[in-house]
Amino acid sequence: MKTANTLAPVQADRQMRAIVQTEYGSADVLRLEEIDQPIVQDNQVLVRVYAASINAGDWHLMRGTPFPIRLMFGGLLKPKIKILGCDMAGRVEAIGKDVTQFQPGDEVFGDLSESGFGAFAEYVCITEAALAMKPVTATFEEAATLPGAGLAALQGLRDVGQIQPGQKVLINGASGGVGSFAVQIAKAFGAEVTAVCSTKKMDMVRAIGADHIIDYTQVDVTKNGQHYDLILDAAAYRSVFDYLPALTPEGTYVLIGGSTSQFFQVMFVGPWISRTTRQKVKSLAAKPNQADLITLRDLMVAGKIVPWIDRRYNLSEVPAAIRHLEQRQVVGKVAISI
């Protein structure tokens, strides 16, 4: 992945507000500052950001944990990514001479995780491949909740899990950002969806269309005698071996989010399980791309997926928004109005 280009050429007489960090730590390291607005390069699009959303990756990058995050994105002692945020929606302000897909005035949304991040700012310069036209049925805030979580849900189900119509699919962590989109996308693919969440979040999961709901505070989904063709784990905080009895003999388990220890467990033992049994154990490495943004847009326009926004914050309130996310009580997504 590319790291943030915070040293891009700028126009000194034009300023913008942005949430900036110069050290790793809690949300206290984030500061609202006036900084120079970047100048669009030949292969870039300058977007006026109207909305963004928060992802778990934002607070991992903010804190620099787990440590491999620092190796992946640079900055062993201090972050090279000065402006966080990968999900955004806004309006095209200017384009470079090599840009062919967009024009000033176009309403767009995108995933900046391979374009330097920077969504927590009033303007951002990015390549056109990171963008797609905004769903016409969505507000800027709704569109901004879609890229990161939506891409993870789509690719986890379709590409890694190879979901098929009629399959029984279990979504663990169904009330979170990825999970809430996964429930809806799995339904759009024709699956029978069982959602796992806590008691107080059951109404939300029911509202987004789950066929069955399991309250994990009351029922252990790995021991209730049910079997699933595909388990998508967006809240992996227990051993993958616990889930194997809940898979059909040829079922697939896909880890998307959760603890670092569970990620490494799946990374190391998953290939062994997949070789020695008919069951498959995999993890997702999301790949942002324009084609999948368009797929998500079309699903939203068709009414197949609807973002569930837990809370809305202003740009200056990004630190509070990240603190809220870190409490792991968010239902759906947290949106930022810029």
Side-chain angles (χ1 to χ4, degrees), residues 154-192:
L154 174 65
Q155 294 176 9
L157 290 166
R158 182 196 63 194
D159 303 336
V160 184
Q162 299 183 335
I163 190 172
Q164 299 296 320
Q167 285 187 328
K168 292 185 176 182
V169 176
L170 180 78
I171 309 293
N172 187 42
S175 62
V178 174
S180 59
F181 284 125
V183 168
Q184 297 176 79
I185 292 171
K187 288 289 294 179
F189 277 113
E192 180 182 333

Side-chain angles (χ1 to χ4, degrees), residues 36-85:
D36 291 320
Q37 179 183 314
I39 286 180
V40 64
Q41 302 298 297
D42 290 345
N43 66 338
Q44 289 183 325
V45 177
L46 175 67
V47 178
R48 169 69 167 94
V49 181
Y50 287 172
S53 69
I54 304 286
N55 291 293
D58 294 316
W59 62 264
H60 284 303
L61 287 170
M62 178 187 74
R63 291 183 175 273
T65 59
F67 192 79
I69 286 284
R70 304 189 187 198
L71 301 179
M72 292 171 62
F73 295 95
L76 293 181
L77 300 179
K78 291 187 177 182
K80 287 188 177 180
I81 296 174
K82 308 299 186 187
I83 304 174
L84 300 174

Side-chain angles (χ1 to χ4, degrees), residues 221-241:
V221 68
T222 68
K223 299 178 180 179
N224 68 348
Q226 299 297 312
H227 297 89
Y228 303 94
D229 302 294
L230 173 59
I231 295 176
L232 192 79
D233 198 348
Y237 294 101
R238 59 189 298 181
S239 172
V240 64
F241 290 102

